[in-house]
Amino acid sequence: MAAETYAPRRTAVLLVDPYNDFLSEGGKVWPVVRSVAQKVGLLDNLRAVVGTARQSGVRVVFVPHRRWEPGDYESWTHPNPTQRNIMVRHSFARDTWGGEFHPDFQPRAGEAVAHEHWAQSGFANTDLNMQLRQHGITHVILIGLLANTCIESTGRFAMELGYHVTLVRDATAAATPEMMHSAHELNGPTFAHAILTTSELLTALPGEGSGA
């Protein structure tokens, strides 16, 4: 694969679902992803990507899942399996600690927070595409959770909309190594333009303050 380049004014890091329930000890979903997350160094890699993006002038966009509220999905005709689990587990419940962003991943002034997505794609039924287009974004780098659900669905949708899509192998996690393998070795190559490690991505990002 040819070396990737990222012009800051045309690139955005999409930070998907950085909730305490996913990323913090005591979170409702953290036990599901803990083993894979710790193996790949998820939290340190997320910090590295977000921090370097900000220093480089690359836009960081928060892409949050719907925060559960009483009654969500209960009257729907076809709630998907994940939504059925949320109905039981109350993941990312609004106005709770679990439904807050991890303390290391808080939006800064000027950083967009897209409308919450109801299912797995950060683009479906949200303003994410409009936010990116209004800022002239052509390249998106996806990080966060989960590799084989929201990351994959958001990446596929981005490709369909004409964006250059980058996946980052170790800045995401899933419930099992097999799911990670599927996301990056089987499914990712069918839609992503680049699949990098955090180290490779940081090398490809421009220097601090670059306006290229």
Side-chain angles (χ1 to χ4, degrees), residues 7-19:
R9 292 193 182 97
R10 299 172 68 82
T11 303
V13 167
L14 305 187
L15 178 54
V16 181
D17 298 348
Y19 287 121

Side-chain angles (χ1 to χ4, degrees), residues 32-93:
V32 177
V33 302
R34 179 195 289 115
S35 177
V36 170
Q38 291 179 339
K39 181 178 180 180
V40 302
L42 172 64
L43 284 166
D44 284 342
N45 290 332
L46 290 177
R47 294 184 189 104
V49 173
V50 171
T52 301
R54 285 169 169 164
Q55 291 172 358
S56 301
V58 169
R59 186 172 295 275
V60 176
V61 178
F62 287 71
V63 183
H65 198 282
R66 164 75 177 183
R67 283 174 285 183
W68 177 84
E69 297 182 13
D72 278 359
Y73 313 115
E74 292 178 4
S75 63
W76 285 28
T77 303
H78 305 294
N80 67 40
T82 298
Q83 291 163 341
R84 291 185 183 278
N85 286 336
I86 291 173
M87 289 168 63
V88 174
R89 190 162 49 201
H90 302 168
S91 309
F92 330 123

Side-chain angles (χ1 to χ4, degrees), residues 147 169 174 176-189:
R169 297 175 183 275
T176 68
E178 291 78 11
M179 290 176 178
M180 291 285 277
H181 175 82
S182 177
H184 300 128
E185 306 303 329
L186 303 180
N187 296 339

Side-chain angles (χ1 to χ4, degrees), residues 23 27 46 51 74 104 134 209:
L23 296 174
L46 290 177
E74 292 178 4
D104 291 350
Q134 287 295 327

